[in-house]
Amino acid sequence: MKTLYDTLGVSKTASQDEIKKAYRKLAREHHPDRNPGDTAAEERFKEVQTAYDVLGDEAKRKQYDRFGSQNGRGAGGPGQPNPNFDFDFNIGDLGDLFGGLFNGGAGGGARSQRGRRQPVRGADVETQVRLSFEDSLSGAEAKVPVELTVACHVCAGTGAEPGTAPVICPECNGRGVKSESQGLFALSQPCPRCRGNGTVIEQPCKSCRGSGRERRLKTYTVKIKPGVKDGTRIRLKGKGEAGENGGPAGDLVVRVHVAASNLYERRGDDLIVQTPVSYATAVLGGTVDVPTPEGAVSLKIPSGSEDGKLIRIKGRGAPRITGGGKGDVLARVRIQVPKRVNKKERELLEQLQKVSG
Ligand SMILES: [Zn+2]
Ligand SMILES: [Zn+2]
């Protein structure tokens, strides 16, 4: 038979401090805000809460110890609440304990004493924007459509039909918790009627069916700096989902996709461009035109350039996002081998072949 000590994973001789520590650790682990939709965790959380409610209180613990030893078995196993000792399942402690811990999480909504809700930050929303390679170099203003949950436009978020208002819950008189007397023990739990809100809506808003929220498409204009790289994430503070109970809104995270260029290969802030060079120019040296984002430049090819050589054109690459200035264009020499030659060329090449072997 599992004892309350087992539930908290402590020995029967554990100090109050050890019990408190074990409880805090387990409660944090299994807290519903951290395990949304996980009913096993919720069950476990309740068990832990119940165990601590008894063992965390010296008087109740003594009562439990005495009772346990007399009867030869531990009391309060799963599904077997024991009416011979009283415990007060105090939801109020939860808000105090977790109010500061879980505000960063999405959803949920920890409740403080008297069932009032704590502010919860809204969730972050991620969206994508696609840019051409040229726009990524020059910068752009992108229109980003985002579907967000916002306050219902009909009831302004109250969930009540316009002209009516939420009323104090008659079941719990606005406390948000309900105590139920069952023989010797009083069990308090979130009020089932108002689900801990303390208020109920008698005539729900028809537009949002009482939720007070609706999905709406919003369009944000996002300024994208020149030189943005593929995969960059831009964070817009406070443009995500609205917070709850006065909590701050989440952020909008825009992920930038940059299309590949058919001319340039980006490497950091440098742009590599394939540059066709004739065999004669590669050997003797000369000039060729090389495209850059701001127009072609005439590039000097040194004599004896090998295929694959990179020649740097300073300051003509992608704008640097931080620090200012620009990267370089790197012209990669590609020696061209002609598929066909005319009569004159053939004669010259044959002479060259004879000379150089
Ligand atoms: Zn209520
Ligand atoms: Zn509404």
Side-chain angles (χ1 to χ4, degrees), residues 123-131 142-148 215-224 228-241 250-258:
D124 288 349
V125 176
E126 191 166 319
T127 184
Q128 328 258 333
V129 67
R130 277 164 215 290
L131 286 188
K143 296 249 185 276
V144 184
V146 196
E147 208 186 63
L148 294 172
R215 298 292 284 173
R216 184 140 6 119
L217 199 66
K218 280 196 176 186
T219 304
Y220 289 117
T221 303
V222 182
K223 275 206 168 74
I224 297 170
V228 67
K229 291 189 181 81
D230 183 47
T232 299
R233 287 152 58 102
I234 300 169
R235 185 173 282 271
L236 300 176
K237 268 207 116 33
K239 302 294 187 194
E241 295 286 9
D251 299 339
L252 174 64
V253 179
V254 180
R255 203 185 182 85
V256 180
H257 293 282
V258 178

Side-chain angles (χ1 to χ4, degrees), residues 135-298:
D135 283 350
S136 81
L137 296 183
S138 57
E141 279 199 352
K143 296 249 185 276
V144 184
V146 196
E147 208 186 63
L148 294 172
T149 302
V150 296
C152 167
H153 71 285
V154 175
C155 63
T158 64
E161 186 66 13
T164 74
V167 296
I168 300 290
C169 174
E171 192 89 20
C172 62
N173 290 321
R175 284 176 61 233
V177 290
K178 252 197 101 185
S179 297
E180 223 175 289
S181 237
Q182 286 180 2
L184 280 169
F185 60 120
L187 200 61
S188 29
Q189 49 185 340
C191 170
R193 175 89 185 266
C194 64
R195 277 186 255 117
N197 286 326
T199 55
V200 287
I201 290 160
E202 290 189 315
Q203 275 178 271
C205 164
K206 285 185 196 79
S207 176
C208 63
R209 293 194 201 89
S211 71
R213 321 186 116 216
E214 65 182 5
R215 298 292 284 173
R216 184 140 6 119
L217 199 66
K218 280 196 176 186
T219 304
Y220 289 117
T221 303
V222 182
K223 275 206 168 74
I224 297 170
K225 284 190 191 167
V228 67
K229 291 189 181 81
D230 183 47
T232 299
R233 287 152 58 102
I234 300 169
R235 185 173 282 271
L236 300 176
K237 268 207 116 33
K239 302 294 187 194
E241 295 286 9
E244 279 181 61
N245 317 314
D251 299 339
L252 174 64
V253 179
V254 180
R255 203 185 182 85
V256 180
H257 293 282
V258 178
S261 163
N262 47 22
L263 209 50
Y264 305 106
E265 178 195 327
R266 187 161 177 170
R267 185 193 284 173
D269 295 318
D270 295 339
L271 301 176
I272 299 172
V273 58
Q274 306 294 328
T275 308
V277 175
S278 74
Y279 173 71
T281 303
V283 175
L284 302 174
T287 57
V288 295
D289 281 349
V290 178
T292 77
E294 290 150 291
V297 298
S298 186

Side-chain angles (χ1 to χ4, degrees), residues 16-17 23 52 146 156 300:
Q16 281 298 308
D17 239 26
Y23 161 69
Y52 179 66
V146 196
K300 193 167 173 291

Side-chain angles (χ1 to χ4, degrees), residues 9 37 86 104-105 121 124 144 149 185 190 209 211 232 241 285 301 313 329 332 345 350 355:
D86 62 40
R121 183 181 177 275
D124 288 349
V144 184
T149 302
F185 60 120
R209 293 194 201 89
S211 71
T232 299
E241 295 286 9
I301 306 291
I313 306 170
V329 165
R332 190 187 290 282
E345 286 167 336
E350 278 169 359
V355 179

